[in-house]
Amino acid sequence: MSVKAFELVPAVERDLLMGDKARINIECIECCGKHLYVGTNDCFIHHFLLDEVASPMGKLSYTAQKLLNKYLGLKKPVAELRAASALERLIVLCDGMVFLVDMVTLESVPSAAGGGVKIRGVIAFCVNENPVNGDPFCVEMAILSSKRRTVQIYMVHKDRVQLVKEVSTPEQPCALSLDGYFLCLALTTQYMILNYNTGASQDLFPYNSEERRPIVKRISREEFLLAAPGGLGMFANAEGVSQRAPVSWSESVIAAAVSFPYVVALDENFITIHSMLDQQLKQTLSFRDGHILQDFEGKVILASTKAVYVLVPLPLERQIQDLLASHRVEEALILMEGAQRNIPKDKFQVLHRRILQRAGFIQFGKLQFQEAKEHFRKGELDVRELISLYPLLLPASSSFTRFHPPLHEFADLNHLAQGDQEKVLQCKRFLISYLKEVRSTEVVNGCREDVDTALLKLYAEQDHDSLLDLLASENACVLADSVPCLEKYHKYFALGLLYHYNGQDSAALQVWTRVVNGDLQDSTRSDLFDYIVDFLCCCSNLDLVWKYADWALQKDSTFSFLQRRSSEESFSIGLKEKSFCLLFFSPRLVLSLLSDSSADAEALTKARERLQAFLRESNMYRVQFLLGKIEDCEQLLLERATLHGKLEEHDRALHILVHKLRDFPSAEAFCVWASSGRDPAYRQRLFHLLLEEYLGGEPRVGGGEMAAVDVLNRHGEVFDAVRVLRVLPESWSLQLLRPFLNRAIRASMHARHTSQIAVGLAHSENVQLLHDRLKERKKPIFVSEKKGCHLCHNTFKEPDVVCLPGGVPVHTHCVAQRIKDSPTKRHLTNSSNHT
């Protein structure tokens, strides 16, 4: 499959190179930085300066400026040029001779001993790009001699050359390349690797140089590219081993170069570009009359016989993005990973992660979830990029915005699925599994709330078993988003767990009790009532326990849970469990609580107050049973008094409060509580009982008289003043009872005035009724022989009749009989009527 990896850009046009000289052809080229040298068939070297020009869109073009051209004085074409920039020299092969020229002036360089620096009888030469000599101002060069089957190694200096090694070959070499001590040679019938230092050699594979032009190209340290039979480009290292699969190119290839990770090959009509990573053909460019292809420091330059071109690689990221846009994920990843060595580490890591993330979304779109998950994991995807595809999963408070440029082409999950609900369901299941895996890893650092809230929403929608596990453990679910979701899907038990985790036990119990009451529907737990009971058992909030204790007892009218808890002999009372007694009211537990010397006094007082309040207000317990449990307990006298009050044994209750506890405020409060909701006479009776305990009980109570004065003065309107005055001691002064007497007189006067008003109203009503009666009597009553009595249904024979309320006439004797039979008199109206 094709990918646009390179663009062919003109560098030196024909007119600039040769003008109107039609017979001039390009024979060789060399590039060193911006300097381009062109050797032609008329023995000239042309020197150009190449400048890169980038358009606003980033597209490269080249402008060439001709600096100089120089005739070498020979009648043969310039066969080869190589730059030795450290020496400011060009190594030239022309007419079988290798010599040096100045890179700036293009003048031949004389030797130190006089004359030119020349090596004769040369077929080809190459420069060692991985030199073994440590001198930076010396270039290593290997040449093939035309006179004998040898390879000669020279050291090239600024003004001289020095032969340092000569090695023999089994056949005449026709092409070579050098890396370190290793020579890669194309012989007449085969390729071989030769170590010129040790003389060791390794035959590679046969090759007929007479049938096609051999190619020997160094591509990296101790690795070479060779043109093999069958139209293959073979790779071989210094040990004679191929560590890469071959590329399949044309059998007519005449030149090759490497621009990692691509192999570029040139034949008579095309430029073909193969990947070294997967050996696939990636691009083909039409290029006629081409005969030179070389790479110079990463720049690939081609030449026809008349012009020079640069093969400009597209940015690697753009190539990868193009592959991903075509959904060629594996090719993109291979290209990315294979190009790692050519990209700075920091930039590669960023780019690599982004490519993996894009690849993951492509696989996700194909529902290839396992592959997508692996790419997301390796690419360290911000998991919110994935969550944001699912509408309304991210909490409203999330600050997340999608990566730009986008990592995928989907607006949301609905866009991806195109209405296919099965696909939507598969995507949601995948997200659940992916979020479960990553929520405990560093991937979710900084976005735990978004992840947990999304999981909660998915669990609730899918009725997933893990919803309760999520909420029962540490989580970061956003309450504002989670509550409406759980309510929408009727997950009220889960909602209570969420409230509990967020410290809102009151809200949790409110929801759960509504479920038990039937106000909300949720079948998650059939034993929710028992769960609530257990929850209250462990709750340390005494106010909350008290709030729901009565509800629990009302729901369990058989008291089965109370009996169950009371029978747990091994139940231990700890500070965290003291609220349990407030819920189940076991006297044994209360006594244990009171006997706990380590208990906090304030906590114990509060617990007893709650228990006492419950005994007063609840009717859902067995009074006689509890009274029997604490009858002999002197520490629970106040509780005993309350229980006696429940049994209407008010005299016993007041006796405990007044004589045993001497708690006068509690005695007064008892009367108010016990008479609540009763008629005034009942309240009066209670307060007179209290007064009798203060004044007439035996033995006399210390402070009882003052307590009596206080209760009289505070509740004077309740008492019967005459009855009170009869029992008060003679020694009491009126001044002492002044507040009581004032209230009693006011109450008496108020009662008198009220009765007078009632009498007046009754009199007024009676007058009105008499008036209505007189009006009725003035109206005529019509009877006839055709009308019947409403009591006996016989017709009227005489005009004397009695009129019932409403003007209904009846016989007088019928009315008399009715009155005789009736226990109460009726108001009738007599009227004489004439027909």
Side-chain angles (χ1 to χ4, degrees):
M1 298 180 69
S2 63
V3 62
K4 189 174 183 180
F6 293 90
E7 289 183 337
L8 191 61
V9 178
V12 180
E13 301 286 355
R14 172 176 177 165
D15 292 343
L16 183 61
L17 179 65
M18 59 194 68
D20 57 355
K21 298 178 181 179
R23 294 183 179 180
I24 297 177
N25 293 328
I26 298 173
E27 296 291 334
C28 61
I29 57 176
E30 170 66 336
C31 186
C32 183
K34 292 185 177 182
H35 296 274
L36 176 67
Y37 300 90
V38 178
T40 56
N41 60 344
D42 59 353
C43 205
F44 270 84
I45 297 177
H46 301 266
H47 183 191
F48 297 92
L49 187 64
L50 286 182
D51 282 317
E52 290 184 354
V53 179
S55 71
M57 299 299 294
K59 189 173 183 178
L60 285 181
S61 61
Y62 287 89
T63 60
Q65 177 186 358
K66 193 169 186 178
L67 300 179
L68 185 65
N69 63 328
K70 179 69 176 178
Y71 178 59
L72 297 182
L74 302 172
K75 296 182 179 181
K76 297 289 184 178
V78 179
E80 197 71 46
L81 292 173
R82 285 291 178 269
S85 57
L87 307 178
E88 296 183 348
R89 299 290 183 260
L90 278 178
I91 305 172
V92 182
L93 172 59
C94 182
D95 195 17
M97 290 188 299
V98 170
F99 54 92
L100 305 180
V101 299
D102 188 279
M103 290 183 68
V104 178
T105 64
L106 301 183
E107 296 290 342
S108 295
V109 177
S111 68
V117 179
K118 296 180 181 179
I119 305 172
R120 299 181 183 275
V122 178
I123 299 174
F125 78 93
C126 68
V127 172
N128 192 348
E129 296 180 29
N130 179 28
V132 295
N133 179 29
D135 186 353
F137 299 102
C138 179
V139 175
E140 297 178 28
M141 176 179 66
I143 68 169
L144 300 180
S145 173
S146 60
K147 296 181 179 180
R148 48 180 178 249
R149 296 177 303 194
T150 61
V151 179
Q152 296 175 328
I153 307 299
Y154 283 88
M155 295 297 174
V156 179
H157 300 272
K158 196 167 186 177
D159 55 358
R160 60 190 177 89
V161 294
Q162 178 185 0
L163 177 64
V164 294
K165 193 75 173 183
E166 184 173 16
V167 291
S168 299
T169 59
E171 298 176 1
Q172 176 62 45
C174 54
L176 80 165
S177 188
L178 178 60
D179 182 272
Y181 288 113
F182 296 97
L183 286 160
C184 186
L185 303 172
L187 306 180
T188 305
T189 60
Q190 66 176 357
Y191 289 104
M192 71 176 295
I193 297 289
L194 176 62
N195 186 322
Y196 76 78
N197 186 46
T198 64
S201 64
Q202 174 67 51
D203 293 340
L204 298 178
F205 49 84
Y207 186 81
N208 190 341
S209 60
E210 294 180 357
E211 292 182 358
R212 59 183 55 87
R213 181 177 176 178
I215 296 175
V216 181
K217 178 70 179 178
R218 176 191 180 273
I219 62 171
S220 65
R221 185 181 180 88
E222 297 183 359
E223 187 175 15
F224 305 92
L225 173 63
L226 312 171
L232 295 177
M234 297 288 293
F235 299 93
N237 61 18
E239 297 176 354
V241 177
S242 179
Q243 294 180 323
R244 305 177 194 268
V247 296
S248 180
W249 57 30
S250 167
E251 291 198 18
S252 59
V253 166
I254 58 178
V258 170
S259 177
F260 194 85
Y262 297 108
V263 174
V264 183
L266 175 67
D267 61 24
E268 294 177 352
N269 297 307
F270 298 100
I271 304 166
T272 57
I273 299 162
H274 291 76
S275 171
M276 297 172 65
L277 305 174
D278 61 8
Q279 295 74 51
Q280 299 298 310
L281 176 63
K282 301 299 181 181
Q283 188 178 5
T284 301
L285 298 169
S286 178
F287 190 71
R288 296 187 180 277
D289 299 326
H291 74 118
I292 298 174
L293 170 63
Q294 288 182 263
D295 56 277
F296 304 97
E297 300 172 353
K299 184 182 296 182
V300 179
I301 298 181
L302 300 95
S304 64
T305 56
K306 305 298 183 181
V308 180
Y309 301 84
V310 178
L311 200 59
V312 178
L314 270 67
L316 187 64
E317 184 174 358
R318 178 179 166 184
Q319 295 180 46
I320 296 172
Q321 300 295 359
D322 289 345
L323 288 170
L324 291 175
S326 302
H327 291 190
R328 293 153 64 183
V329 174
E330 292 306 319
E331 290 182 69
L333 293 176
I334 290 172
L335 177 58
M336 181 73 244
E337 293 167 4
Q340 179 176 357
R341 69 180 189 181
N342 292 346
I343 304 174
K345 182 177 180 181
D346 292 343
K347 182 178 180 181
F348 173 80
Q349 289 177 345
V350 173
L351 184 60
H352 190 215
R353 282 197 298 267
R354 186 175 172 214
I355 298 307
L356 284 169
Q357 292 166 8
R358 283 207 61 192
F361 278 109
I362 290 172
Q363 304 287 39
F364 176 76
K366 296 178 179 179
L367 305 187
Q368 297 174 349
F369 297 127
Q370 190 60 38
E371 294 84 351
K373 181 172 68 174
E374 192 64 20
H375 293 326
F376 289 152
R377 184 185 63 80
K378 290 181 179 179
E380 299 177 7
L381 174 72
D382 184 335
V383 69
R384 294 174 294 182
E385 285 282 355
L386 182 58
I387 297 174
S388 68
L389 276 176
Y390 298 71
L392 303 179
L393 277 195
L394 282 174
S397 59
S398 176
S399 60
F400 171 75
T401 54
R402 288 183 179 177
F403 188 84
H404 186 79
L407 296 175
H408 52 78
E409 58 192 17
F410 311 117
D412 57 24
L413 187 60
N414 297 322
H415 177 210
L416 183 153
Q418 294 293 308
D420 187 338
Q421 292 307 307
E422 179 60 30
K423 184 179 290 187
V424 170
L425 184 59
Q426 290 182 48
C427 291
K428 288 181 177 180
R429 288 172 178 167
F430 164 70
L431 183 59
I432 287 175
S433 67
Y434 183 67
L435 294 183
K436 285 178 68 175
E437 287 186 22
V438 303
R439 72 181 292 261
S440 59
T441 67
E442 295 181 357
V443 173
V444 300
N445 286 351
C447 61
R448 181 71 182 275
E449 289 184 350
D450 296 346
V451 171
D452 283 3
T453 305
L455 259 180
L456 178 142
K457 292 179 179 180
L458 287 169
Y459 285 157
E461 179 188 346
Q462 300 296 314
D463 196 21
H464 202 282
D465 294 338
S466 297
L467 174 61
L468 301 184
D469 295 334
L470 173 68
L471 295 175
S473 60
E474 181 182 357
N475 67 81
C477 298
V478 177
L479 202 63
D481 279 76
S482 302
V483 170
C485 175
L486 294 174
E487 291 176 339
K488 176 181 178 181
Y489 295 105
H490 307 292
K491 301 297 182 182
Y492 297 109
F493 178 70
L495 177 58
L497 292 179
L498 178 66
Y499 279 133
H500 171 60
Y501 183 80
N502 284 273
Q504 300 184 23
D505 286 352
S506 179
L509 285 167
Q510 183 179 8
V511 171
W512 290 337
T513 54
R514 290 186 66 194
V515 174
V516 174
N517 291 340
D519 300 331
L520 300 174
Q521 302 301 314
D522 181 5
S523 59
T524 302
R525 290 195 67 136
S526 59
D527 61 341
L528 183 56
F529 175 77
D530 289 336
Y531 181 88
I532 295 173
V533 170
D534 292 337
F535 181 86
L536 290 170
C537 289
C538 300
C539 183
S540 59
N541 186 336
L542 303 186
D543 293 331
L544 195 59
V545 173
W546 164 246
K547 180 177 179 181
Y548 287 95
D550 192 40
W551 173 88
L553 286 172
Q554 291 176 16
K555 282 298 173 183
D556 191 356
S557 59
T558 64
F559 299 94
S560 60
F561 76 92
L562 174 58
Q563 295 166 359
R564 182 177 77 246
R565 292 298 184 181
S566 297
S567 64
E568 294 175 358
E569 297 296 333
S570 61
F571 187 79
S572 61
I573 302 299
L575 289 178
K576 291 184 179 180
E577 297 161 323
K578 289 188 169 50
S579 61
F580 177 83
C581 64
L582 296 180
L583 178 59
F584 300 110
F585 315 107
S586 168
R588 175 174 52 81
L589 295 180
V590 175
L591 292 174
S592 299
L593 182 62
L594 292 170
S595 63
D596 186 355
S597 59
S598 63
D600 180 67
E602 182 179 353
L604 295 178
T605 300
K606 190 172 184 180
R608 283 198 63 192
E609 288 174 354
R610 293 300 187 191
L611 175 58
Q612 293 155 12
F614 183 82
L615 291 175
R616 288 193 300 270
E617 297 176 16
S618 177
N619 295 318
M620 302 303 296
Y621 60 89
R622 293 178 292 176
V623 180
Q624 291 285 9
F625 174 79
L626 293 182
L627 190 57
K629 288 288 186 181
I630 64 174
E631 187 69 38
D632 299 326
C633 179
E634 295 298 319
Q635 294 175 294
L636 298 177
L637 290 175
L638 192 57
E639 287 79 1
R640 281 173 55 192
T642 302
L643 292 173
H644 282 300
K646 282 283 187 177
L647 295 173
E648 301 277 341
E649 298 173 350
H650 302 309
D651 52 345
R652 299 186 66 178
L654 290 172
H655 183 80
I656 291 172
L657 294 171
V658 174
H659 291 277
K660 292 188 176 183
L661 286 176
R662 299 180 183 274
D663 189 347
F664 304 143
S666 293
E668 188 175 328
F670 174 85
C671 292
V672 174
W673 162 71
S675 63
S676 177
R678 300 296 188 97
D679 56 60
Y682 190 92
R683 172 169 288 199
Q684 186 180 88
R685 185 169 68 84
L686 277 181
F687 273 94
H688 275 284
L689 282 176
L690 177 60
L691 185 62
E692 291 173 4
E693 289 294 333
Y694 286 153
L695 299 178
E698 291 296 337
R700 298 296 292 269
V701 181
E705 292 187 356
M706 288 308 300
V709 171
D710 290 339
V711 76
L712 286 170
N713 289 336
R714 276 195 295 269
H715 299 280
E717 72 281 358
V718 176
F719 290 92
D720 181 343
V722 175
R723 185 177 171 187
V724 170
L725 292 174
R726 288 173 181 168
V727 299
L728 291 181
E730 295 291 339
S731 60
W732 286 17
S733 67
L734 291 177
Q735 185 65 28
L736 185 65
L737 294 173
R738 182 176 179 180
F740 162 69
L741 293 173
N742 286 340
R743 294 172 72 116
I745 293 171
R746 280 198 299 267
S748 177
M749 293 179 67
H750 175 73
R752 181 185 176 208
H753 293 158
T754 301
S755 63
Q756 289 175 342
I757 292 172
V759 170
L761 291 173
H763 178 73
S764 176
E765 183 181 8
N766 187 50
V767 171
Q768 182 64 42
L769 290 173
L770 289 174
H771 176 267
D772 293 342
R773 180 185 177 208
L774 290 173
K775 286 176 64 178
E776 291 294 331
R777 291 183 66 181
K778 289 181 180 180
K779 295 179 181 178
I781 303 299
F782 297 94
V783 296
S784 71
E785 292 180 352
K786 295 181 180 180
K787 289 188 176 181
C789 173
H790 279 252
L791 295 179
C792 68
H793 304 294
N794 295 321
T795 58
F796 293 102
K797 303 296 184 180
E798 297 177 355
D800 292 333
V801 296
V802 175
C803 186
L804 296 177
V808 179
V810 295
H811 289 123
T812 54
H813 61 271
C814 291
V815 173
Q817 184 64 35
R818 176 62 62 89
I819 293 174
K820 181 179 178 181
D821 297 337
S822 175
T824 60
K825 294 183 178 181
R826 304 176 185 272
H827 295 286
L828 302 172
T829 302
N830 289 318
S831 179
S832 295
N833 301 281
H834 302 277
T835 54

